[in-house]
Amino acid sequence: MNNKLISIIRIIGQLISISIFGLVGGLLFEFRIPGHQTFTDNDSGLFGLVYIIFIIVGIGLLLNSLIFFKKNHWKKYRIGVLIFVIGFGLLVFIPRDVIKWTFFGGKKMEFTSIKNPDFIWVKLELYKNNDFLCSTSHGGEMTEETLGEYKLKNNVLELHLKNGISEHTKNRYQTLYENIGTKYQILNDTLICMDCEKEIKLKKN
């Protein structure tokens, strides 16, 4: 096999590997962006497979680049691949609290459910810039993450959604959809939902 054919095969292999790594990494990072983490329990197996592909391809690219870098083969390209893989790896595996801080800044308060009718669970995070992030789950079967802005006046907390509720949740998880409240009465360290179908109470952490 001549050198030209070997170079072509290497280029094709690198393009395929980097494309797979970039696409999978982009999907995983997009999922970690606040407001984008909406999933069902059936998605967990799929995401596990995606993570495995990301790790295997990433390790392969790292080892390949390190070996050929030492052999002085396409040195600048190998450095670029190393930076790309390490950078994407940090984006995917960096603690999500760091990503939230990047988007919202400091957290002001956090509340979680203390009563769960029909297995409804709510986690509400309020940030100092008047943004909020709300994660609501229906028995672990469906999790819906929404974000928006909040107003606090006369012991009433009002939430104004930015990304809304997904059509999948509206159609398949009506109980969850009806219990993502937008107005809460504040009583000491407790939030009481005023427009939920069920009695939802959140306790300050």
Side-chain angles (χ1 to χ4, degrees):
M1 189 178 295
N2 59 47
N3 291 334
K4 185 175 181 180
L5 183 57
I6 292 174
S7 294
I8 292 173
I9 292 173
R10 283 176 176 170
I11 291 170
I12 293 173
Q14 287 289 310
L15 286 174
I16 293 173
S17 298
I18 290 174
S19 297
I20 292 173
F21 184 81
L23 289 172
V24 173
L27 173 65
L28 292 175
F29 178 69
E30 193 273 341
F31 179 71
R32 307 191 76 211
I33 295 174
H36 292 205
Q37 206 168 70
T38 297
F39 58 95
T40 67
D41 58 352
N42 294 326
D43 296 326
S44 58
L46 176 61
F47 272 104
L49 178 61
V50 173
Y51 270 105
I52 290 173
I53 293 172
F54 180 78
I55 292 170
I56 291 175
V57 176
I59 291 174
L61 284 170
L62 280 175
L63 292 176
N64 179 270
S65 296
L66 287 171
I67 291 171
F68 281 97
F69 177 80
K70 290 182 179 179
K71 293 182 178 181
N72 293 320
H73 184 269
W74 303 347
K75 290 191 71 171
K76 291 183 179 180
Y77 168 76
R78 303 299 175 184
I79 292 173
V81 172
L82 289 171
I83 294 172
F84 177 71
V85 172
I86 294 172
F88 235 131
L90 290 174
L91 288 176
V92 170
F93 291 108
I94 195 171
R96 195 158 186 256
D97 283 342
V98 176
I99 298 176
K100 291 178 183 178
W101 181 86
T102 303
F103 274 81
F104 305 123
K107 186 184 296 184
K108 186 175 183 179
M109 290 181 285
E110 179 178 310
F111 299 85
T112 52
S113 300
I114 56 176
K115 190 173 182 179
N116 302 289
D118 297 326
F119 302 103
I120 299 298
W121 178 86
V122 180
K123 179 181 178 181
L124 177 63
E125 300 171 54
L126 305 180
Y127 291 86
K128 294 177 181 179
N129 65 348
N130 282 1
D131 283 338
F132 76 84
L133 181 66
C134 182
S135 180
T136 312
S137 177
H138 183 272
E141 185 178 347
M142 173 70 194
T143 299
E144 178 86 20
E145 192 172 75
T146 54
L147 53 83
E149 297 180 345
Y150 69 89
K151 290 183 179 179
L152 184 58
K153 186 177 181 181
N154 297 326
N155 287 328
V156 174
L157 176 67
E158 293 186 12
L159 307 179
H160 301 277
L161 303 181
K162 287 183 179 179
N163 58 337
I165 310 301
S166 69
E167 291 301 320
H168 180 72
T169 298
K170 292 179 180 179
N171 295 332
R172 293 288 300 278
Y173 300 92
Q174 190 66 25
T175 302
L176 175 61
Y177 169 55
E178 292 172 348
N179 287 283
I180 299 180
T182 58
K183 184 176 289 188
Y184 289 83
Q185 178 72 45
I186 300 177
L187 183 61
N188 297 322
D189 288 339
T190 303
L191 297 181
I192 303 172
C193 186
M194 301 169 65
D195 58 355
C196 297
E197 292 291 324
K198 302 289 184 177
E199 184 182 52
I200 302 292
K201 293 183 178 180
L202 309 180
K203 184 72 174 179
K204 185 177 179 181
N205 292 346

